Amino acid sequence: MKKNFSIIIITLAGLALRLFRLGYHDLWYDEGASVIFSKYYFLAHNTHLFYTILHFWTKFFGINEFSVRFPAMVFSVISIPIIYMLGKKLLDHKTALIAALIMAISPMQLWYAQEARAYSLVTMLGLISSYFAVLIITKKSRCWLFFILFSIMGLLAGELYILLLVSQIILLSVHAYRKKDKDFIKNIFISILIQRPTVLNQKRKYNPTFN
């Protein structure tokens, strides 16, 4: 219970920092572009997922500085307990808490949490997919579906997500090679085949206008 209390406190502290003056500054150029592109989200190919979320969010809650930044703030807050879970799975409770604390107070994370852009969404999805990748390595093969799902979402959230995906596939491949696990290798290939259309679609339709 004490361990859970610590991460709850850190997460709440991260939430408070991200909410502080969330709508204080005017929208700057890139945020204004996000608002405009969200109206035509069906045309966007880069960060398509973020524009789609922002489109429906602003339909219900309107367009103002606080509202359009709120989804990015939520994604950033969710990343705090996720990085704790990932750190705990990889190392130990203390290290995981330190990672969560750094995530909670990091100036860069705070900046992206208060910006109506896709960066915090990509970060959150990257942490979640990495968590499931670690679970896969620990013999929980049912997590393949979740790994693939969140990887596809990550690719739709930002084209640079592919760099993380490649590193995850390499990690999984090295594990499969060391264990000589044919089923594991088969699952990797299936994962690549399922994600390949999304990767190719991002590459083929990428439009620098939709950053």
Side-chain angles (χ1 to χ4, degrees), residues 25-37:
H25 296 286
D26 294 335
L27 298 177
W28 74 292
Y29 178 82
D30 280 6
E31 291 181 302
S34 291
V35 174
I36 294 173
F37 295 150

Side-chain angles (χ1 to χ4, degrees), residues 1-14 81 97:
M1 183 56 126
K2 186 178 180 181
K3 292 181 179 180
N4 292 335
F5 182 75
S6 298
I7 186 58
I8 289 173
I9 293 299
I10 292 174
T11 302
L12 290 176
L97 279 182

Side-chain angles (χ1 to χ4, degrees), residues 176-190:
Y177 176 78
R178 291 178 62 185
K179 296 296 182 179
K180 308 297 182 183
D181 190 331
K182 293 182 179 179
D183 289 334
F184 201 99
I185 295 173
K186 180 184 70 175
N187 287 334
I188 292 175
F189 276 110
I190 292 174

Side-chain angles (χ1 to χ4, degrees), residues 14-194:
L15 172 62
L17 289 172
R18 285 155 175 77
L19 281 174
F20 179 66
R21 302 178 77 179
L22 179 62
Y24 179 76
H25 296 286
D26 294 335
L27 298 177
W28 74 292
Y29 178 82
D30 280 6
E31 291 181 302
S34 291
V35 174
I36 294 173
F37 295 150
S38 69
K39 294 182 179 181
Y40 307 99
Y41 66 97
F42 48 88
L43 297 176
H45 305 296
N46 180 27
T47 65
H48 176 84
L49 181 60
F50 178 75
Y51 293 140
T52 302
I53 293 171
L54 191 60
H55 171 82
F56 290 102
W57 176 263
T58 54
K59 263 187 171 299
F60 286 100
F61 299 100
I63 298 176
N64 56 67
E65 285 79 359
F66 185 92
S67 175
V68 298
R69 291 171 180 154
F70 194 85
M73 187 277 297
V74 172
F75 301 140
S76 184
V77 172
I78 293 174
S79 296
I80 298 172
I82 296 299
I83 200 171
Y84 167 77
M85 294 167 58
L86 179 59
K88 189 177 179 181
K89 198 70 182 175
L90 286 172
L91 297 167
D92 53 55
H93 168 70
K94 183 178 179 180
T95 306
L97 279 182
I98 293 173
L101 180 61
I102 292 173
M103 173 71 74
I105 65 175
S106 165
M108 180 174 289
Q109 293 300 323
L110 292 174
W111 179 278
Y112 288 146
Q114 295 190 335
E115 188 174 52
R117 301 293 286 165
Y119 306 120
S120 60
L121 174 60
V122 173
T123 299
M124 182 193 74
L125 293 172
L127 288 170
I128 295 175
S129 67
S130 296
Y131 177 73
F132 283 115
V134 172
L135 290 183
I136 289 171
I137 291 175
T138 57
K139 296 296 185 180
K140 295 184 179 180
S141 57
R142 293 182 181 179
C143 292
W144 276 105
L145 177 61
F146 295 104
F147 171 72
I148 294 170
L149 174 62
F150 284 103
S151 294
I152 290 175
M153 291 173 65
L155 290 168
L156 293 174
E159 79 284 354
L160 292 179
Y161 186 92
I162 192 172
L163 298 176
L164 173 62
L165 179 59
V166 169
S167 65
Q168 291 171 337
I169 294 298
I170 292 174
L171 176 65
L172 293 171
S173 299
V174 169
H175 175 77
Y177 176 78
R178 291 178 62 185
K179 296 296 182 179
K180 308 297 182 183
D181 190 331
K182 293 182 179 179
D183 289 334
F184 201 99
I185 295 173
K186 180 184 70 175
N187 287 334
I188 292 175
F189 276 110
I190 292 174
S191 172
I192 293 173
L193 288 174
I194 293 175

